[in-house]
């Protein structure tokens, strides 16, 4: 396997720019890390997960559903000009993406999502490149290429044929350790604490067993200001709102991220609202991922990426709520 | 994709985020700044949706001139020439002070500076004001009188470093959401919270004490607290002795406000007064957070001064985690005040009556004879128009038809004008009355700075082009000045304007763009090296000694009676901003509140046969509007609450134009109303 | 879980969000608030729906809304929508004229499954607007009475003036296929009502004589109605396996993506709107 420096990777990514629409972790003006173009700031593979949901590459905050020109003709959303090549998914992010791939394809296939998703190349990032030196879990798959940091360089591990073919043009030396390095890194990855998983699974069990009373949800709900950040940052949140807007004489049907934390999310035209209390909405936020989706998809759909805990201004992201559930009700 | 770091156009919290524009230059999203001191990677729902209105098809895109009663498309030359000649003509005929300018708390510091310079240097009038008149003019007057500076004394971060917070007249989680969350977190961490507000706001749910006084009895309550504090020996004697003056008068005035008397006026219990006094006064560090519930009264200045008195009495000024903290409503209302869009001061609160200040600005601007009389305010200008004294008005980014009290009166005033210019981003009820409408760039389409409620001056950056022929406000103002024969308002960029501002404004002396590139600085920041000032009045007050300014209790101007038995109070909701021009054109925000509504207590509703979500007619002595009833115990019996976001159910048809005698702020929070079911 | 019926999306190249423009064949005013629209697909094609399904109706510039199909697939050459003027889109729809085009996506959702109902006695209980989707089933039964046992229709509305499909109600009442019992909550001054009882729809249930073993009840109505009607039916001895309901939720996409219609793990648009009561009985907030 190849072992590449950040500079070598950067050169590699740049060389792909003609064939792909490249998105990689870059550091912006004020230090915020985003999935952006290499022209937006220095490549910043280190630092852990990107604060924004990485799935926004395929399911952005705003999207065109279709457009109707002045002559009344329908035009489907334009397919992307170049396939997307995205670097920077953590193992948890890849789990999230795997789920929303399934979500958007099952039953009816969401053509707008797959417009961007089809043909995309995914590059995962793991190893010793987390925030403040934290070790990021090795995904071991679910992406085309995985970049595993050994603290100095990245071991470049292609997981798919497409990944292998692409990596051939990467100019970097062979690792040459005979797989020893990977072994130790894998061991380190396997030894990562599983506290979060245990807590959330326990909380999921308690919720499904009906052990968490309404009073609890009420109490959490008094702290929610309906800022919608938790939903908007979550890689497995997929809800959207649809509306029509005229633009330059054309009528564009558009969709934007929506949030189940808003009162209007389920309010019907009559005014009737099955989720008219903040308590019901707080309950839904957690219950959906930890109980409803378990029922529907066979697994929880929170992959513990940690974003909702980071963005919630009052500290009631899913991890902290689960911790409290486990402390109080098990 | 292009990402541009800029500042939120809504509340005064001043969160920064990146605006995302696609390859066609259309805004497609928002990403919070994860390093920003206040936002910390978070935003409220308004911030998250701030990309959604700039490309709304309703945007004004071409100048319009009224011809034969109708607004028709015109060129910039035509429009600006007409404005120049009309304003000149009006002044020649009716005197220099027959025209007035309304600036805007929505536009940048640079643009506020440009407009007030236009008024003063070119048109030689101090008739320039903006909507701070309607929200915090009582703060500016009240705190300047007591402390010597009319701004929030401390920083937002202080909320996390205090032991007790008194929130009064501020629905913090809805109007300053990310400051509200700091309060929630502080309480979780053990900070005591007193909410003195008769609405059951979200913070009331977690408060140690929720005091639901009668609207308008603020002074009685605060005097009651001070009475208890003095009587029980809880005052900070050392602070009072060394840092303040006029204590004896305070003692005399509050002496009669026994808990029993205060409670009787406020319709609460004496225990509430005593307990609140003890909770606030015994805290190691205590802070007061207030907003329009304190300021928008005919006794708004008294309210503000009483807050200041309370803080001084307990030594809670000049340290972290303390202070008197008015939360400024708009993104740049602080800046508009700082930059002198006020009838009595130049930038940095340098007084126009002061000859030395005038001389300084005459020199800086290369003009002579700057006027020394204090000009008209937003509220008195409307009255002057009504009385026929004001003949022409230039409104930049304001919507007085909906934001000012007593809409019928405003309309009558504007109708009497010979000439009305409105420069805005969307059509509003005010542009509908204008003789000339100029299309302006919105926050996402320009460079400049906004100053947040914590006096933090931050960069605003252009993320996309303005639609059609719309132009930036500073550029329009400069063009008009040239047509008036003045070149001193011709700039290449807002940066040049800021450089000029730093020259003439001591408190902004160090606010150069290169210094606030990533993180904004808090004024006073007098020079290039100065790190900015997180909290004011450390060691000594701006005015030297803090001046105790006790006030007696004065009832509100219009109290309920048999004909109008309810107290009507007005304000905002979480999802909309002011007159709704932007938020009602942002899909998600619009969906949340689509119709005008009025809150009424279940007991009152039951008695009057009013049902939730059913239409009602609300009336006062000034007019009536239709709204949907929201039956809820958020309000107390006998009280109604309505928002002023909706053109089709405009609360300001109802409100009372009674003004505070000093600050000229209208009494938006109390008037007498009647409500009945409608079909 | 859900069965996906074939939609007309195939006509738009698999683009599930793109509506097909269809012609308004005719318009009939039902009440001051409600109008019946007869819609024709291009080139005389059939929608291919089953009773109880809905379509997403688009008017460009106004958006989209779910509307139940109010006619039975046994009536060929068109389908009908009974629409209440409730806001932006439905208001704009009322302004449209015969011959105007509207966008249609669908048919979506689960349906009243004729196979599972075959041979049963059916009690069809509709409240207010709920008669719109119920009508597709009633018409189906009308056209194929031999597939079912005894057919009973119960319909309740707020006032006589609010009753939908008044002509149909009379016709069904006169036909031998159905036993019809109607009610109104109240009769305003000046109006009269002699076609049934005054009272909530629940008053119509106790007098019914049912073959409890062989009966299925179908309920469609406003949210408040379900709890009370179900309670009455249970008193009669019906079990949750014998009750079918159709639920309404705020819907944006109709295809299980936008999330607005979710009731716990079920998406009302693809797993519903038609549910057997036992499928949703444990679910909070479903009824
Ligand atoms: C399965 C199903 C079947 C139905 N069948 C029927 C039927 O057969 N007949 C019938 O009459 N009705 C039916 N309905 C109800 C119908 O869908 C609603 O009445 C319709 O959606 C109302 O849409 P509107 O745009 O007219 O109303 P509005 O109240 O204007 O809009 C509906 C919702 O859209 C949002 N919205 C609309 N405009 C805006 C805006 N400008 N900004 C932000 N948000 C906005 C609001 O949140 C509102 O709650 C059915 C509903 C469902 C779920
Ligand atoms: S941790 Fe939060 S943001 Fe991340 S997947 Fe779970 S719920 Fe979503
Ligand atoms: S991030 Fe926190 S405060 Fe914001 S909506 Fe989610 S739970 Fe509520
Ligand atoms: S808290 Fe205020 S500044 Fe921050 S995002 Fe919300 S509206 Fe904007
Ligand atoms: S309507 Fe969109 S998921 Fe059901």
């Amino acid at each position: 396997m190849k072992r590449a420096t950040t500079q070598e990777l950067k050169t590699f990514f740049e060389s792909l720019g003609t064939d792909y629409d490249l998105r990689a972790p870059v550091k912006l003006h004020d230090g915020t890390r985003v999935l952006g173009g290499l022209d937006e700031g220095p490549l910043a593979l280190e630092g852990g997960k990107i604060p924004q949901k990485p799935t926004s590459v395929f399911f952005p905050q705003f999207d065109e559903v279709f457009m109707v020109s002045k002559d009344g003709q329908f035009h489907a959303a334009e397919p992307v000009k170049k396939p997307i090549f995205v670097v920077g998914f953590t193992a948890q992010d890849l789990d999230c993406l795997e789920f929303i791939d399934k979500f958007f394809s099952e039953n009816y296939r969401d053509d707008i999502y797959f417009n961007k998703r089809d043909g995309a190349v995914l590059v995962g990032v793991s190893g010793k490149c987390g925030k403040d030196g934290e070790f990021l879990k090795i995904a071991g798959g679910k992406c085309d290429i995985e970049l595993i940091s050994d603290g100095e360089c990245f071991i470049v591990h292609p997981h798919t044929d497409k990944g292998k073919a692409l990596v051939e043009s990467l100019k970097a030396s062979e690792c040459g350790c005979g797989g020893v390095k990977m072994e130790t890194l894998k061991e380190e990855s396997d030894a990562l604490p599983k506290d979060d998983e245990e807590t959330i699974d326990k909380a999921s069990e308690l919720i499904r067993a009906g052990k968490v009373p309404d009073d609890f949800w009420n109490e959490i709900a008094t702290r929610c200001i309906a800022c919608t950040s938790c939903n908007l940052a979550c890689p497995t949140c997929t809800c959207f709102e649809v509306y029509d807007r005229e633009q330059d004489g054309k009528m564009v049907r558009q969709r934007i991220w929506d949030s189940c934390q808003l009162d209007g999310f389920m309010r019907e035209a009559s005014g009737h609202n099955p989720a008219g209390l903040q308590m019901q909405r707080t309950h839904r936020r957690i219950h959906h991922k930890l109980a409803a989706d378990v029922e529907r998809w066979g697994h929880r759909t929170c992959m513990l990426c940690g974003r909702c805990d980071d963005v919630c201004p009052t500290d009631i992201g899913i991890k902290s709520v689960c911790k409290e559930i486990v402390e109080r009700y098990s | 994709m292009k990402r541009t770091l800029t500042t939120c156009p809504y509340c005064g919290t001043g969160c920064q985020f990146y605006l995302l524009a696609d390859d066609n230059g259309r805004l497609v999203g928002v990403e919070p700044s994860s390093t920003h001191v206040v936002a910390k990677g978070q935003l409220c729902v308004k911030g998250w949706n701030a990309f959604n209105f700039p490309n709304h098809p309703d945007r004004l895109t071409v100048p319009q001139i009224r011809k034969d009663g109708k607004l028709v498309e015109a060129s910039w030359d035509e429009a600006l020439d007409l404005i120049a000649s009309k304003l000149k003509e009006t002044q020649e005929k009716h005197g220099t002070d027959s025209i007035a300018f309304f600036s805007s708390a929505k536009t940048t510091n640079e643009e506020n500076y440009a407009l007030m310079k236009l008024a003063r240097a070119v048109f030689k009038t101090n008739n320039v004001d903006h909507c701070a008149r309607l929200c915090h003019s009582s703060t500016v007057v009240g705190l300047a009188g007591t402390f010597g500076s009319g701004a929030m004394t401390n920083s937002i971060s202080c909320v996390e470093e205090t032991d007790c917070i008194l929130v009064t007249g501020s629905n913090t989680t809805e109007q300053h959401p990310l400051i509200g969350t700091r309060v929630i977190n502080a309480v979780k961490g053990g900070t005591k919270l007193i909410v003195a507000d008769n609405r059951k706001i979200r913070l009331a749910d977690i408060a140690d004490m929720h005091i639901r006084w009668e609207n308008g009895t603020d002074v009685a309550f605060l005097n009651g607290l001070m009475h208890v504090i003095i009587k029980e020996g809880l005052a900070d004697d050392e602070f009072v002795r060394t840092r303040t003056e006029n204590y004896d008068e305070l003692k005399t005035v509050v002496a009669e406000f026994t808990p029993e008397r205060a409670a009787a006026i406020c319709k609460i219990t004496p225990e509430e007064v005593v307990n609140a006094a003890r909770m606030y006064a015994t805290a190691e560090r205590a802070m007061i957070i207030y907003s329009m519930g304190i300021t928008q009264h005919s006794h708004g200045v008294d309210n503000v001064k009483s807050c200041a008195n309370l803080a001084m009495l307990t030594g809670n000024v000049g340290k972290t985690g303390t202070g008197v903290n008015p939360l400024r409503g708009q993104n740049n209302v602080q800046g508009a005040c700082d930059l002198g869009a006020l009838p009595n001061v130049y930038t940095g609160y340098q007084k126009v009556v002061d000859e030395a200040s005038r001389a300084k600005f005459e020199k800086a601007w290369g003009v002579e004879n700057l006027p020394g009389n204090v000009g008209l305010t937003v509220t008195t200008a409307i009255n002057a128009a009504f009385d026929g004294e004001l003949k022409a008005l230039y409104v930049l980014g304001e919507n007085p038809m909906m934001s000012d009290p007593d809409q019928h009166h405003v309309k009558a005033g504007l109708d009497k004008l010979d000439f009305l210019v409105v420069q805005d981003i969307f059509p509003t009820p005010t542009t509908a009355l204008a003789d000339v409408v100029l299309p302006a760039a919105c926050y996402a389409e320009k460079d400049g700075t906004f100053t947040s409620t914590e006096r933090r001056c931050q960069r605003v950056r252009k993320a996309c082009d303005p639609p059609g022929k719309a132009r930036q406000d500073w550029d329009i103002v400069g063009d008009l000045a040239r047509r008036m024969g003045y070149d001193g308002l011709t700039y290449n960029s807002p940066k040049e304007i800021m450089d000029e501002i730093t020259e003439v404004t001591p408190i902004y002396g160090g606010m150069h763009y290169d210094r606030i590139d990533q993180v904004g600085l808090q004024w006073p920041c007098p020079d290039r090296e100065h790190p900015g000032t997180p909290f004011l009045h450390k060691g000594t007050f701006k005015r030297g000694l803090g001046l105790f300014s006790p006030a007696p209790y004065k009832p509100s101007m219009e109290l309920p009676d048999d004909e109008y038995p309810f107290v009507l109070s007005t304000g905002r909701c979480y999802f909309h901003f002011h007159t709704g021009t932007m938020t009602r054109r942002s899909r998600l925000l619009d969906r949340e509140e689509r119709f005008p509504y009025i809150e009424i207590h279940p007991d009152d509703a039951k008695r009057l046969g009013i049902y939730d979500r059913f239409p009602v007619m609300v009336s006062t002595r000034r007019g009536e509007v239709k709204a949907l009833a929201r039956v809820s115990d958020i309000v107390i019996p006998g009280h109604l609450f309505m928002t002023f976001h909706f053109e089709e159910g405009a609360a300001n048809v109802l409100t009372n134009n009674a003004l505070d005698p000093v600050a000229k702020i209208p009494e938006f929070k109390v008037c007498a109303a009647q409500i009945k079911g409608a079909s | 879980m859900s069965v996906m019926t074939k939609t007309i999306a195939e006509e738009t190249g698999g683009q599930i969000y793109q509506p097909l423009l269809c012609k308004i064949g005719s318009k009939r005013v039902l009440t001051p608030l409600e109008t019946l629209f007869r819609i024709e697909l291009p080139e005389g094609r059939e929608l291919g729906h089953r009773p109880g399904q809905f379509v997403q109706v688009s008017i460009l510039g106004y958006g989209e809304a779910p509307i139940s199909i109010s006619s039975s697939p046994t009536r060929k050459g068109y389908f009908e929508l009974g629409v209440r003027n409730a806001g932006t889109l439905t208001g704009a729809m009322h302004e449209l004229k015969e011959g105007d085009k509207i966008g249609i996506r669908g048919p979506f959702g689960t349906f009243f499954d004729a196979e599972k109902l075959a041979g049963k006695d059916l009690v069809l209980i509709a409240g207010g607007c709920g008669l719109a989707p119920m009508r597709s089933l009633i018409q189906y039964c009308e056209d194929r009475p031999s597939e079912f046992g005894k057919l009973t229709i119960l319909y309740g509305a707020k006032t006589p003036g609010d009753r939908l499909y008044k002509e149909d109600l009379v016709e069904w009442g006169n036909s031998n296929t159905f036993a019809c019992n109607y009610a109104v909550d109240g009769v305003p001054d000046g109006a009269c009502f002699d076609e049934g009882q005054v009272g909530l729809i629940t008053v119509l249930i106790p007098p019914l004589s049912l073959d409890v073993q062989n009966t299925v009840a179908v309920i469609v109505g406003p949210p408040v109605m379900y709890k009370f009607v179900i309670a009455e039916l249970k008193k009669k001895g019906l079990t949750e396996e014998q009750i079918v309901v159709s639920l309404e939720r705020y819907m944006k996409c109709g295809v299980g993506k936008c999330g607005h219609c979710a009731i716990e793990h079920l998406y009302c648009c693809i797993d519903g709107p038609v549910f057997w009561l036992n499928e949703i009985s444990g679910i909070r907030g479903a009824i």
Side-chain angles (χ1 to χ4, degrees), chain B residues 406 408 558 564 619-624 653-657 671-672:
Chain B
D406 192 353
H408 294 312
E558 191 182 71
Y564 295 100
S619 52
T620 65
R621 291 193 170 78
R622 291 151 296 279
E624 58 176 17
V653 165
L654 305 169
T655 46
N656 190 2
N657 190 23
C671 71

Side-chain angles (χ1 to χ4, degrees), chain A residues 96 233-236 289 301-308 318:
Chain A
C96 291
C234 176
T236 62
K289 300 234 189 282
T301 54
C302 167
M303 308 303 177
L304 288 166
C305 78
R307 285 184 181 82
C308 57
I318 204 164

Side-chain angles (χ1 to χ4, degrees), chain B residues 612-627:
Chain B
D612 195 33
R613 302 200 296 252
F614 276 73
V616 290
M617 191 61 92
V618 196
S619 52
T620 65
R621 291 193 170 78
R622 291 151 296 279
E624 58 176 17
V625 298
K626 213 164 145 178

Side-chain angles (χ1 to χ4, degrees), chain C residues 56 250-261 267-269:
Chain C
Q56 286 283 357
Y250 183 43
M251 291 182 184
K252 274 283 136 181
C253 71
V255 290
K257 305 297 180 218
C258 74
H260 290 276
C261 71
Y267 287 78
C268 197
C269 61

Side-chain angles (χ1 to χ4, degrees), chain A residues 100-309:
Chain A
I100 72 164
D101 279 350
K102 182 162 74 172
F103 175 85
F104 278 121
S105 64
E106 197 106 329
N107 299 322
Y108 294 92
R109 191 179 150 89
D110 189 296
D111 43 291
I112 303 165
Y113 175 82
F114 285 103
N115 241 343
K116 301 185 188 59
R117 181 67 182 87
D118 285 339
V121 179
L122 294 176
V123 181
V125 172
S126 59
K128 298 181 175 174
C129 60
K131 198 174 166 201
D132 308 322
E134 196 194 343
F135 193 97
L136 299 180
K137 190 179 149 196
I138 296 176
K142 298 187 182 176
C143 56
D144 297 291
I145 304 168
E146 188 166 5
L147 306 176
I148 305 152
S149 166
D150 61 13
E152 287 161 12
C153 290
F154 289 89
I155 298 175
V156 182
H157 191 340
H159 290 306
T160 62
D161 291 343
K162 191 155 66 175
K164 280 192 192 109
L166 285 164
V167 165
E168 273 175 23
S169 71
L170 164 66
K171 291 200 185 59
S173 50
E174 286 297 316
C175 181
C177 71
V180 181
K181 258 199 187 116
M182 264 312 289
E183 273 312 302
T184 39
L185 286 168
K186 272 214 184 93
E187 272 164 30
E188 195 167 344
S189 177
D190 291 341
L192 285 171
K194 305 237 167 4
D195 309 6
D196 281 355
E197 274 92 342
E198 279 158 22
T199 308
I200 200 165
D201 287 334
K202 183 80 205 156
S204 165
E205 231 169 79
L206 291 167
I207 295 170
R208 295 194 314 136
K211 295 269 170 59
V212 186
D214 282 358
D215 283 352
F216 175 80
W217 298 115
N218 245 325
E219 201 184 308
I220 301 295
T222 54
R223 302 181 49 127
C224 174
I225 63 150
C227 73
T228 73
S229 304
C230 49
N231 294 134
L232 270 42
C234 176
T236 62
C237 274
T238 45
C239 294
F240 57 83
E241 165 75 4
V242 186
Y243 60 99
D244 291 356
R245 195 177 268 184
E246 196 191 306
Q247 227 138 50
D248 312 322
K250 294 167 295 200
M251 212 294 304
V252 188
R253 183 156 292 169
Q254 321 186 326
R255 72 179 186 189
I256 51 174
W257 290 342
D258 207 335
S259 161
C260 61
Q261 298 307 290
L262 294 174
D263 186 72
F265 184 73
M266 290 191 86
R267 197 194 304 139
E268 292 158 26
S270 62
H272 172 71
N273 193 344
L277 302 172
Q278 187 63 49
M279 184 272 270
Q280 293 169 318
R281 301 191 286 272
T282 298
H283 173 264
R284 171 180 165 137
R285 171 168 68 90
I286 310 286
H287 181 276
H288 193 137
K289 300 234 189 282
L290 300 189
D293 278 345
V294 176
E295 190 73 30
R296 188 174 188 92
W297 305 99
H299 57 82
R300 62 172 151 82
T301 54
C302 167
M303 308 303 177
L304 288 166
C305 78
R307 285 184 181 82
C308 57
D309 285 274

Side-chain angles (χ1 to χ4, degrees), chain B residues 587 590-591 594, chain C residues 65-66 68 82-84 87-90 249-250:
Chain B
R587 176 65 184 196
D590 180 38
R591 179 190 71 194
R594 291 168 65 201
Chain C
S68 313
V83 182
R84 165 176 290 192
T88 317
L89 178 113
T90 49
R249 285 290 182 276
Y250 183 43

